[in-house]
Amino acid sequence: MTDKGEKQIATFVEQVQPHCDETVRSAMLVTPAGSMGAMGLSAVSPLGGMIAGKQAKKRSGGLSKMMLLAVTDSSIIAFDAKPRGTKWKVKGELRRWDRSTTQIGAEKKKTTHLLVMTDEAGESSELELQSAGGGHAIPVFFESLGLSAS
């Protein structure tokens, strides 16, 4: 664990806690898997970027472009979030997964970490955590989910 990562997690927890009915143990900024690539592609091909963006949204289970993912003892909760200066404005709960019935997997990619959550109905949501800036918070966040960041 790093102090820098723990501070980043603490900032996210502080922002989502007022919106949770349980104590938030950890929180992290996530995006639908593939959405960052879609943004890059749109600079070269707007149509290609739009198609890739729709695919990313489908892979995430229809979730927003940017979310704060909160971890409590019993749930994982996705909140719609928008940047406001150096903080994030939490707009509302998008989805809640029961930790006791959700399978969680992770995979390290070149510039991101992929987080896959599959609920008891077999529906998966693929989300990305950005490694930009060193990705100091990723190991701290993954530890709260019982995962390894490597």
Side-chain angles (χ1 to χ4, degrees):
M1 283 195 246
T2 66
D3 285 343
K4 194 172 190 178
E6 289 171 351
K7 286 178 184 175
Q8 188 175 13
I9 294 288
T11 299
F12 292 141
V13 167
E14 179 183 303
Q15 292 171 54
V16 296
Q17 185 60 69
H19 305 275
C20 288
D21 52 359
E22 299 177 66
T23 300
V24 177
R25 303 290 178 203
S26 188
M28 186 71 185
L29 179 66
V30 299
T31 57
S35 64
M36 292 310 213
M39 284 178 21
L41 179 60
S42 66
V44 177
S45 168
L47 178 60
M50 185 177 76
I51 292 168
K54 286 186 179 194
Q55 290 172 337
K57 188 168 185 170
K58 185 176 180 180
R59 286 174 59 193
S60 74
L63 295 172
S64 294
K65 289 182 181 177
M66 293 196 161
M67 299 160 275
L68 285 172
L69 199 62
V71 178
T72 70
D73 288 338
S74 65
S75 303
I76 301 166
I77 310 163
F79 289 97
D80 189 14
K82 303 291 181 219
R84 292 288 182 259
T86 60
K87 301 242 180 200
W88 292 86
K89 180 177 180 172
V90 179
K91 296 185 79 182
E93 185 176 314
L94 297 171
R95 174 116 193 241
R96 184 180 293 244
W97 293 267
D98 182 335
R99 287 189 68 181
S100 68
T101 59
T102 301
Q103 294 179 332
I104 306 168
E107 182 181 346
K108 186 173 180 6
K109 301 285 189 173
K110 202 175 225 180
T111 60
T112 64
H113 283 76
L114 178 66
L115 181 66
V116 181
M117 295 186 294
T118 307
D119 65 19
E120 61 187 330
E123 293 182 30
S124 292
S125 295
E126 296 182 20
L127 306 172
E128 282 179 338
L129 294 85
Q130 302 303 314
S131 300
H136 301 289
I138 293 172
V140 179
F141 181 71
F142 275 12
E143 184 179 299
S144 72
L145 293 169
L147 300 171
S148 171
S150 52

